[in-house]
Amino acid sequence: MAELASAPRPGDPRPGPGGPARESSARDGAAHRSGILIVEDEAELVRALRINLRARQYEVLTAGTGREALALAADRPPDAIILDLGLPDIDGTEVIVELRRWYRAPIIVLSGRTSPGDKIGALDVGADDYVTKPFAMAELLARLRAALRRDEGGTPAGSHSVTIGRWEVDLAAHQVRRAGSGAGAPETLRLTPTEWRILEMLLRRPGQLVGSAQILTEVWGPGFAGRSNYLRFHLARLRRKLEDYPARPRYLLTEPGMGYRYQP
């Protein structure tokens, strides 16, 4: 069960009275309140989620079954979905598969299933994040805000630079150079093609959990989804090259049993 978080207080970094508002078109100048669809059949948990989301000025829709969720999402597409996997009619992973045929906004799984297989399965079919029950409401809300920020801003497909500690990673030029280099040729760092592919997958999804099987499949191919040792080896090399303290990484984080995350 979740802890019932209080309403935002002064100085709280969570959305305040204005909520997580986004500006709509300049034509009307009206603010947009993010709509969240909760797909959960446990009434007490739905109530706790609704109270906390509405306190932060989110608009809330709820569905108790997978089919009801699909109908609601099609009728009133939400800005994000919080989804349980153990629904009374169809499995939550099937809901994700159906949604991903057309729906591109964030889906956060909130489930009591804790096995790596369930987590990886949900991420592989299109979930953006996975939170296990029991959970802290503050953590869920933080992950929701991060998912909405990613969805709003996106990441440029072209030129894009990211700073990791002392290094500036230029994804377009495939170059890593020391940040803040002065006049003259900057100090550069060499990455292997495999390291580049892994790093690019993470950097283009800031704050987002990327499943191990997804990385392995995209980098090495479909037959390598279970070779987690390959990924551990190359992530360790990337951390030694980029992180100030590789044993205590600040940017390239491991989510045990699930995957990896680039934390800006």
Side-chain angles (χ1 to χ4, degrees), residues 1-3 5 14-15 36-40 45-46 48-50 52-53 56 58 80-84 107-111 129-150:
M1 181 55 63
E3 63 178 29
R14 296 171 290 185
I36 311 300
L37 172 58
I38 302 168
V39 188
E40 170 64 60
L45 178 54
V46 171
L49 289 168
R50 184 191 292 117
N52 280 273
L53 290 169
R56 288 154 183 83
Y58 292 99
I81 295 174
I82 297 173
L83 171 72
D84 185 20
I107 300 174
I108 299 175
V109 170
L110 181 62
S111 176
D129 210 338
Y130 197 110
V131 178
T132 56
K133 303 174 184 175
F135 66 98
M137 186 67 72
E139 178 188 358
L140 175 64
L141 293 172
R143 295 198 184 198
L144 174 62
R145 292 195 301 275
L148 289 170
R149 285 196 300 269
R150 290 194 301 270

Side-chain angles (χ1 to χ4, degrees), residues 45-244:
L45 178 54
V46 171
R47 176 179 174 273
L49 289 168
R50 184 191 292 117
I51 289 171
N52 280 273
L53 290 169
R54 286 180 174 171
R56 288 154 183 83
Q57 303 302 309
Y58 292 99
E59 293 183 353
V60 180
L61 295 171
T62 63
T65 67
R67 292 187 178 87
E68 183 185 2
L70 292 171
L72 268 175
D75 184 54
R76 298 175 59 186
D79 294 282
I81 295 174
I82 297 173
L83 171 72
D84 185 20
L85 295 182
L87 299 171
D89 55 346
I90 56 177
D91 193 81
T93 54
E94 296 181 44
V95 177
I96 299 171
V97 170
E98 290 301 316
L99 285 168
R100 285 305 185 215
R101 296 182 191 278
W102 61 273
Y103 181 76
R104 292 294 172 262
I107 300 174
I108 299 175
V109 170
L110 181 62
S111 176
R113 300 178 186 175
T114 59
S115 75
D118 286 317
K119 296 174 183 177
I120 292 168
L123 294 167
D124 282 348
V125 297
D128 293 272
D129 210 338
Y130 197 110
V131 178
T132 56
K133 303 174 184 175
F135 66 98
M137 186 67 72
E139 178 188 358
L140 175 64
L141 293 172
R143 295 198 184 198
L144 174 62
R145 292 195 301 275
L148 289 170
R149 285 196 300 269
R150 290 194 301 270
D151 191 52
E152 286 178 358
T155 302
S159 178
H160 182 57
S161 292
V162 175
T163 299
I164 298 180
R166 299 170 294 165
W167 301 101
E168 181 183 354
V169 182
D170 188 330
L171 294 175
H174 271 214
Q175 185 179 55
V176 180
R177 53 186 175 267
R178 186 174 289 278
S181 297
E187 179 183 351
T188 59
L189 185 67
R190 182 184 177 277
L191 300 183
T192 68
T194 298
E195 289 167 351
W196 268 113
R197 295 178 69 184
I198 295 170
L199 186 62
E200 187 166 3
M201 283 190 69
L202 296 175
L203 297 190
R204 291 201 182 280
R205 300 165 173 83
Q208 182 176 341
L209 176 62
V210 185
S212 298
Q214 180 183 353
I215 301 174
L216 287 161
T217 299
E218 291 195 24
V219 174
W220 281 277
F224 291 82
R227 302 292 184 91
S228 57
N229 57 313
Y230 285 24
L231 204 45
R232 286 196 298 269
F233 172 79
H234 287 281
L235 257 297
R237 285 173 56 92
L238 280 170
R239 286 171 177 146
R240 285 197 297 270
K241 292 180 178 182
L242 295 170
E243 295 272 7
D244 292 334

